[in-house]
Amino acid sequence: MNLEHVLEGAPFIEPITPEEFDVEKIRIDFPALHQKIYDKPLVYLDNAATTQKPLSVINVIQTYYVCSNANVHRGIHFLSERATRTYEYARSKVQRFLNAQESFEIIFVRGTTEAINLVAQSYGRTFLKAGDEIIISAIEHHSNIVPWQLVAEQTGARIRVIPVTDSGELILEEYENLLSEKTKIVAVGHVSNALGTVNPIKQIIRMAHDFGAVTLVDGAQSMPHMKVDVQDLDCDFYAFSGHKIYGPTGIGILYGKQALLDRMPPYQGGGEMIREVSFDRTTYADLPHKFEAGTPHIAGSVALGAAIDYITHLGLGNIAAYEHELLHKATEKVRSIPGLRLIGTAKEKSAILSFVMEGVHPHDIGTILDREGIAVRVGHHCAQPAMKRFGLPATARASFSFYNTEHEIDRLTAGLRKVKEVLAL
């Protein structure tokens, strides 16, 4: 067994053709999908919360711990050098995936939440002052709200919010009115986790830059579904989580432009992020290490690389086309159910259906569907302001992946009719 090949993957991966995209073959790669829940085949529609993992990712995690486990950047023995090499190779893989200019612009973090906190506490706390403004949108995940509230309290900055239409689209005229010389940071999600809205992020970034503001994009819900090119977007920061793109939990990425990262102080102190330490003062390591204090999630980083290989092989163009078709069919079918109302009907949507049923609490929908073997998410989806905007405490959410099928949409539709039957609606 060539360990380097298992851990690092092939150097060049060509995507399959649309004709080769076969969902039944793809499903074989995901062992978690082939189980029964309450004696019924699992239908997993909670992909916006986390995705299932292909065997290639699971195998890399096992191989790393069986054959290559060692700490990185600090040992001179064989295992440590191999672990360092595969860890840094994974970083360069993320760089190519995002089309970042340099691999040191890729910071390994625990997930999107930590990435945004890093920027808020390092860049925001250093450069914001009283009277400055941070712009976010009305449909952000809490992880792109609370870190900015914390830094606003610390610095005296003010948070402004882009409103949305009844269909869940950002009102760009209102965004333009919010922008001014006071605007220092614009932090917006690429795709709404609660509604599925795909925001016109390139236009939002360009408008922010016209006023000299720094931009951060929460890419947690976009990365599994579309090609992201950070140079083409011209974003200053881009954050995403590994577990949303078929990698392990506990690993994520912050991309940042070198010129900004160089100016930012470390977010955390500890081992490996230093150049020299004395009791008088400490000097810090170069990028990316000054932002990676302590022993990192090495296995997670390597497995994230394997996940990127997997979706690169499937082809993000193939994935987007298949999921778009799946979303269209699901939308048409659930709309036929009397009393069901979709929340979030933007023209540009990712593979998310958020809905409510007249006279039914979303938790009852989730509970009855679960007994049918169907996993969906119910609640506020860590987006309470978005729920408030639509006058709701919660919705039910079905979120799709490239491994879902039209038959599973039929199972969802039948399950929703069962909800009405059980509750005698």
Side-chain angles (χ1 to χ4, degrees):
M1 178 172 55
N2 184 327
L3 282 178
E4 276 71 17
H5 183 76
V6 173
L7 293 171
E8 296 178 2
F12 301 103
I13 297 175
E14 289 291 332
I16 60 176
T17 65
E19 292 74 26
E20 292 171 320
F21 191 91
D22 184 333
V23 66
E24 293 303 331
K25 287 184 179 176
I26 290 169
R27 288 175 65 86
I28 296 171
D29 295 334
F30 292 84
L33 298 178
H34 306 287
Q35 59 182 307
K36 291 189 174 181
I37 304 295
Y38 301 114
D39 207 31
K40 294 170 183 170
L42 168 66
V43 176
Y44 186 78
L45 301 178
D46 196 17
N47 296 287
T50 195
T51 53
Q52 299 300 335
K53 317 308 174 193
L55 283 168
S56 59
V57 169
I58 296 168
N59 289 341
V60 161
I61 294 170
Q62 182 180 31
T63 301
Y64 174 79
Y65 281 119
V66 170
C67 304
S68 196
N69 180 44
N71 215 327
V72 293
H73 298 140
R74 57 191 75 181
I76 60 169
H77 58 81
F78 182 88
L79 281 183
S80 177
E81 290 182 348
R82 185 162 64 192
T84 299
R85 191 167 57 250
T86 53
Y87 177 74
E88 291 301 330
Y89 190 76
R91 191 192 308 275
S92 63
K93 200 176 291 186
V94 177
Q95 174 208 348
R96 293 193 298 273
F97 191 59
L98 291 175
N99 193 31
Q101 279 196 336
E102 304 289 349
S103 63
F104 53 71
E105 294 177 317
I106 304 299
I107 313 296
F108 284 120
V109 291
R110 288 183 298 163
T112 307
T113 298
E114 184 172 77
I116 297 172
N117 274 278
L118 191 162
V119 176
Q121 286 301 309
S122 177
Y123 183 89
R125 199 165 180 178
T126 302
F127 296 107
L128 289 174
K129 63 181 187 306
D132 289 343
E133 294 183 349
I134 304 162
I135 294 180
I136 58 177
S137 87
I139 52 174
E140 297 304 317
H141 190 284
H142 295 166
S143 64
N144 200 29
I145 299 174
V146 182
W148 303 115
Q149 289 175 329
L150 289 170
V151 77
E153 290 171 2
Q154 293 159 346
T155 62
R158 179 187 181 198
I159 291 176
R160 310 295 300 277
V161 180
I162 310 169
V164 297
T165 65
D166 289 342
S167 63
E169 296 171 314
L170 301 192
I171 303 174
L172 293 183
E173 294 80 7
E174 296 291 338
Y175 171 49
E176 188 172 20
N177 291 335
L178 291 175
L179 287 164
S180 73
E181 69 281 357
K182 295 179 181 178
T183 308
K184 302 304 177 188
I185 296 174
V186 174
V188 175
H190 199 161
V191 173
S192 163
N193 73 304
L195 308 178
T197 305
V198 180
N199 291 320
I201 202 67
K202 191 170 181 178
Q203 184 179 358
I204 290 169
I205 291 166
R206 180 180 54 74
M207 291 169 71
H209 285 171
D210 285 346
F211 285 84
V214 166
T215 57
L216 179 142
V217 181
D218 175 350
Q221 296 296 333
S222 53
M223 291 299 293
H225 307 293
M226 63 186 71
K227 176 63 181 171
V228 171
D229 182 332
V230 292
Q231 292 192 69
D232 180 60
L233 291 178
D234 196 27
C235 57
D236 298 298
F237 300 102
Y238 201 100
F240 72 93
S241 298
H243 72 99
K244 308 280 192 186
I245 61 164
Y246 311 94
T249 55
I251 189 68
I253 296 297
L254 171 67
Y255 156 80
K257 288 180 178 174
Q258 179 189 357
L260 291 170
L261 294 173
D262 277 337
R263 294 169 59 202
M264 293 161 54
Y267 169 52
Q268 298 174 321
E272 282 307 301
M273 48 75 71
I274 57 88
R275 179 174 290 123
E276 185 175 350
V277 175
S278 72
F279 287 116
D280 297 323
R281 67 189 293 267
T282 294
T283 56
Y284 305 117
D286 293 331
L287 294 174
H289 306 297
K290 75 172 180 179
F291 293 114
E292 294 181 359
T295 298
H297 187 2
I298 306 165
S301 304
V302 178
L304 173 59
I308 287 173
D309 285 347
Y310 187 84
I311 58 175
T312 300
H313 173 65
L314 291 183
L316 281 160
N318 295 329
I319 291 171
Y322 178 77
E323 291 180 346
H324 179 76
E325 184 181 1
L326 211 58
L327 178 66
H328 175 71
K329 290 176 179 175
T331 302
E332 292 303 308
K333 290 189 176 182
V334 302
R335 268 181 168 161
S336 68
I337 298 172
L340 185 144
R341 179 163 61 97
L342 292 175
I343 307 300
T345 53
K347 290 179 182 174
E348 297 294 330
K349 279 192 65 177
S350 185
I352 289 175
L353 280 184
S354 203
F355 57 90
V356 293
M357 294 179 76
E358 188 176 354
V360 187
H361 193 281
H363 282 233
D364 292 332
I365 297 174
T367 301
I368 295 172
L369 289 179
D370 181 50
R371 299 296 296 192
E372 295 298 308
I374 303 166
V376 299
R377 188 65 172 264
V378 296
H380 53 61
H381 316 297
C382 294
Q384 287 180 326
M387 295 294 108
K388 186 176 181 181
R389 163 61 181 81
F390 291 92
L392 299 165
T395 68
R397 184 187 70 187
S399 51
F400 303 94
S401 162
F402 55 73
Y403 48 57
N404 291 125
T405 66
E406 191 169 353
H407 172 67
E408 291 181 319
I409 293 173
D410 291 337
R411 288 270 312 276
L412 171 65
T413 308
L416 292 172
R417 294 188 187 283
K418 181 75 175 286
V419 171
K420 293 178 69 69
E421 178 187 323
V422 169
L423 298 177
L425 295 173

